Amino acid sequence: RQEQFRALRGLPSESKDGISVDLQMNAGLLVDLPQLDECGAQGIGLFRTELQFMIASTMPKIEEQESFYRSVLRQAGDHPVTFRTLDVGGDKVVPFFRSAEEENPALGWRALRLSLDRPALLRTQFRALLRAAAGAELKLMVPMVTEVNELRAAKALLKKEVNRLSRFGYTLPKRLQFGAMLEVPNLMWQLDELLQEVDFLSVGSNDLFQFVMAADRGNARVSNRFDPLSRPFLRLLRQVVEAADRTRTPLTLCGELAGRPLSAMALIGLGFRSISMTPAAIGPVKAMLLSLDAKQLQSHLLAALDQPDSGQTIRSLLTEFADQN
Ligand code: PEP
Ligand code: MG
């Protein structure tokens, strides 16, 4: 099967009815980079920068961060890379960040919250990224945004770094895009304000699902209990697509959902035109995409989402649709 998937690498990434869908991969270390060519992903939709910190015994210095990001960009070549700023805390443990014991680390002092409380840390990371991408394209996003004001604060820090580098005569990136991850449900009711502030939006479905269902993503007993392919969660995702479409904001989704062919199919049916997943999933998802009638699926799925929950689950509807294709 591996060989069959490899054969799909060169084919355009579009559905049977000609809808093109960007298939990107998630990464976090240099060893992941060769996968770009091997799996045929169009780019790196999520680069988890905390990995460099998680495997280090001391805080990586700015020079180390910069040279790491530069290597990532060099190895990615023409493929776009979306760097996510530090997402530590919760399930992502960095040994030299000694924070107090927390009773609910997933809901605790983590990700952007921590970065905004330690602005030197975030500014150092921004500086390293800006310098690594001198003269090139740079896409950045911040994790676990809870309120639009946090995003504005992060943007202000980024701007300070841009100004500082240009004052010192550094070459800046030729294009800088700044985005947010949508992982905390609160943002759903601030979407319009949020979309005014960002160049793109990326749904982190692992955390979003965990918080929407109040079910720990690391606890199989509860995380497998609820179905992401259920009406409530898919309705939520549909609202995100509609809001992004209204403002013409590029939208992607980079959680585990994107990497399972049936759920990737659901996402395409909801209107996602870019998804990012683990490299091993690109082949199977592409095989699904190539045989998919996306418009037909979309009208089926959206009609079913509008109906009240009665009898047939969305998962069974999707399975049936997949079997007929
Ligand atoms: C997510 O939460 O869906 C996500 C992509 O980020 P992570 O899995 O690194 O938390
Ligand atoms: Mg997350």
Side-chain angles (χ1 to χ4, degrees):
R1 278 194 80 81
Q2 222 40 38
E3 280 309 304
Q4 279 176 336
F5 294 140
R6 287 173 77 87
L8 306 178
R9 276 184 312 185
L11 298 178
S13 176
E14 57 180 45
S15 64
K16 201 168 62 182
D17 56 333
I19 304 286
S20 75
V21 180
D22 224 1
L23 302 181
Q24 306 203 62
M25 67 171 232
N26 298 344
L29 293 171
L30 284 179
V31 292
D32 299 328
L33 268 290
Q35 299 271 0
L36 253 181
D37 281 332
E38 271 160 47
C39 72
Q42 273 134 308
I44 298 179
L46 166 63
F47 193 91
R48 295 182 162 105
T49 61
E50 61 277 2
L51 269 288
Q52 185 192 21
F53 288 67
M54 288 166 77
I55 60 171
S57 50
T58 54
M59 176 86 84
K61 296 194 174 55
I62 183 163
E63 295 78 17
E64 294 169 87
Q65 293 182 39
E66 181 184 338
S67 82
F68 177 65
Y69 303 143
R70 183 169 287 124
S71 305
V72 172
L73 288 168
R74 191 185 316 117
Q75 290 191 37
D78 292 334
H79 302 284
V81 181
T82 305
F83 290 97
R84 173 175 76 184
T85 63
L86 272 189
D87 188 2
V88 296
D91 58 323
K92 300 164 186 80
V93 180
V94 172
F96 44 87
F97 274 112
R98 288 208 163 272
S99 56
E101 280 283 310
E102 292 181 301
E103 211 164 309
N104 288 302
L107 308 178
W109 191 58
R110 51 173 297 203
L112 185 59
R113 299 163 183 190
L114 185 154
S115 297
L116 290 175
D117 289 351
R118 294 281 179 272
L121 184 75
L122 186 57
R123 287 184 67 165
T124 302
Q125 193 177 24
F126 281 152
R127 199 176 303 165
L129 285 159
L130 288 163
R131 295 206 308 218
E137 304 244 345
L138 180 60
K139 277 186 92 172
L140 297 178
M141 64 181 179
V142 286
M144 285 282 297
V145 183
T146 306
E147 301 182 323
V148 177
N149 266 337
E150 296 173 323
L151 182 101
R152 294 191 182 113
K155 253 171 96 171
L157 293 177
L158 177 62
K159 196 155 170 230
K160 278 190 180 164
E161 286 310 314
V162 169
N163 293 342
R164 184 176 180 280
L165 290 181
S166 73
R167 219 170 37 243
F168 286 111
Y170 282 88
T171 307
L172 293 171
K174 72 167 185 245
R175 181 164 181 231
L176 175 57
Q177 289 172 269
F178 191 66
M181 287 193 72
L182 173 59
E183 309 186 90
V184 180
N186 187 61
L187 272 188
M188 287 303 295
W189 295 276
Q190 253 190 334
L191 263 187
D192 292 333
E193 294 96 316
L194 179 75
L195 290 169
Q196 302 270 317
E197 299 281 348
V198 294
D199 299 307
F200 64 94
L201 186 65
S202 183
V203 178
S205 58
N206 304 333
D207 278 310
L208 185 61
F209 188 67
Q210 146 166 283
F211 296 132
V212 164
M213 297 295 171
D216 183 347
R217 62 189 272 182
N219 179 347
R221 205 152 180 191
V222 294
S223 64
N224 296 335
R225 191 179 189 97
F226 304 106
D227 189 358
L229 301 185
S230 59
R231 279 187 176 79
F233 196 63
L234 295 183
R235 283 175 182 158
L236 181 160
L237 293 176
R238 175 64 194 162
Q239 284 178 17
V240 179
V241 172
E242 283 169 357
D245 284 353
R246 268 199 307 276
T247 49
R248 294 176 196 279
T249 309
L251 173 68
T252 184
L253 182 144
C254 59
E256 307 285 314
L257 261 190
R260 290 183 224 114
L262 191 73
S263 31
M265 189 183 100
L267 294 171
I268 295 165
L270 290 173
F272 280 87
R273 294 296 173 258
S274 168
I275 48 179
S276 189
M277 65 202 77
T278 179
I282 297 269
V285 168
K286 189 160 182 182
M288 174 280 296
L289 175 67
L290 292 168
S291 64
L292 178 69
D293 188 333
K295 290 198 195 97
Q296 200 193 345
L297 169 66
Q298 189 146 354
S299 67
H300 260 55
L301 179 60
L302 297 187
L305 284 186
D306 282 342
Q307 283 154 22
D309 221 315
S310 64
Q312 196 184 33
T313 65
I314 296 287
R315 179 175 288 277
S316 65
L317 176 140
L318 290 164
T319 312
E320 254 169 45
F321 189 90
D323 290 345
Q324 285 159 15
N325 275 260

